[in-house]
Amino acid sequence: MHLEYRPGPLFVTENGASYATAPDQDGRVRDLARSRYLHDHLVEARRAILAGVPLAGYFAWSLMDNFEWAHGYQQRFGITWVDYASQARIPRTRPAGTAR
């Protein structure tokens, strides 16, 4: 698209993936799959910028788990895990010892 149409600034919006990783016995949400997904997409975003694509922003979907119209509360897209019963919020983390 960049080479053919030469668009103005581009923004990647609502990019993310749904994984069911819940808090472990220590109360942490070690979310390797989501970390890898976001890392890989940010690597490609950087590669596009270096190739001249006018990528001006990247927005993860979503800050917190929330209600999704198609799946209700079954899918979890947030970078922060939400306990719907108590409304407690736990930031998802990259498991210790894993590469970035």
Side-chain angles (χ1 to χ4, degrees):
M1 188 167 105
H2 164 66
L3 295 176
E4 186 72 24
Y5 296 104
R6 300 288 182 200
L10 299 173
F11 295 85
V12 174
T13 61
E14 299 184 5
N15 183 256
S18 172
Y19 298 104
T21 309
D24 60 17
Q25 66 277 7
D26 297 328
R28 295 185 62 197
V29 181
R30 293 174 172 89
D31 200 351
L32 181 59
R34 189 180 325 272
S35 293
R36 282 186 181 153
Y37 178 93
L38 291 170
H39 174 269
D40 291 349
H41 282 77
L42 289 170
V43 165
E44 291 304 314
R46 182 176 187 273
R47 192 169 74 123
I49 291 168
L50 293 174
V53 174
L55 183 59
Y58 177 95
F59 300 89
W61 182 252
S62 133
L63 174 63
M64 292 184 286
D65 292 332
N66 58 0
F67 182 84
E68 295 291 329
W69 291 107
H71 302 285
Y73 290 108
Q74 300 304 310
Q75 299 293 319
R76 291 182 174 263
F77 291 90
I79 58 175
T80 302
W81 186 86
V82 176
D83 180 330
Y84 297 125
S86 70
Q87 293 299 299
R89 288 146 169 87
I90 303 171
R92 289 184 165 95
T93 62
R94 180 181 54 83
T98 58
R100 288 190 191 253

